[in-house]
Amino acid sequence: MCLDRPGSVTIDKVDLIRPSGGIVLQAFSSRLQSRTRAMLGNAEQPLTELEFPARSPAVTTPCSNRDHDGLLTELGLQYGKTRNRTARAEGVRVTYTSAGRQRTVDLDLDVQLCAPDDMSTKQCREMYKELRTPSEGDE
């Protein structure tokens, strides 16, 4: 994340867009990207164990940093599910405050949490197939 003008932004809340199957957003946080730590990607630990602060700091990184190999702000999202079936959300809506005004931005993320051995959902079937295929070093 970055800012297209000077100032700072406070992330107030994050909501799931079109959730199904019992997916829930358990936590969110942000942190400055690091040159020594890769961006989060997929992880199974809580955000606090992955060095995200318990409370998100204000986002202050300008987008111009991107043009100069600068660091931006990483948004961490921690999901869970309440049912033993595949759960999904089509994205997240970030509500934030900038210059005293509350605004929203939708992030088009297709998040799926697969049920054990779900072979009917294409993405889950592909993931399980990949996990079961031995890599070159495992033979």
Side-chain angles (χ1 to χ4, degrees), residues 1-55:
M1 299 183 298
C2 59
L3 303 178
D4 59 2
R5 60 184 61 111
S8 69
V9 164
T10 302
I11 300 172
D12 301 314
K13 67 179 182 167
V14 179
D15 296 304
L16 297 174
I17 298 173
R18 288 181 282 292
S20 63
I23 191 170
V24 292
L25 183 68
Q26 297 171 326
F28 70 90
S29 186
S30 62
R31 66 182 179 190
L32 188 62
Q33 285 180 319
S34 168
R35 295 191 198 292
T36 61
R37 173 189 66 229
M39 285 186 56
L40 181 60
N42 293 327
E44 303 231 350
Q45 298 90 352
L47 290 174
T48 53
E49 289 181 18
L50 297 167
E51 301 178 25
F52 276 85
R55 295 185 59 124

Side-chain angles (χ1 to χ4, degrees), residues 6 8 13 30 33 50-52 71 83-84 96 103 111 115 117 120 122 136-137:
S8 69
K13 67 179 182 167
S30 62
Q33 285 180 319
L50 297 167
E51 301 178 25
F52 276 85
L71 300 175
R83 300 182 195 147
N84 193 23
Y96 63 95
R103 302 171 190 266
V111 179
D117 295 321
S120 60
K122 180 183 176 194
E136 289 180 30

Side-chain angles (χ1 to χ4, degrees), residues 14-18 90-96 103-109:
V14 179
D15 296 304
L16 297 174
I17 298 173
R18 288 181 282 292
E90 292 181 23
V92 295
R93 175 167 292 133
V94 178
T95 302
Y96 63 95
R103 302 171 190 266
T104 62
V105 62
D106 290 352
L107 303 178
D108 185 25
L109 306 170

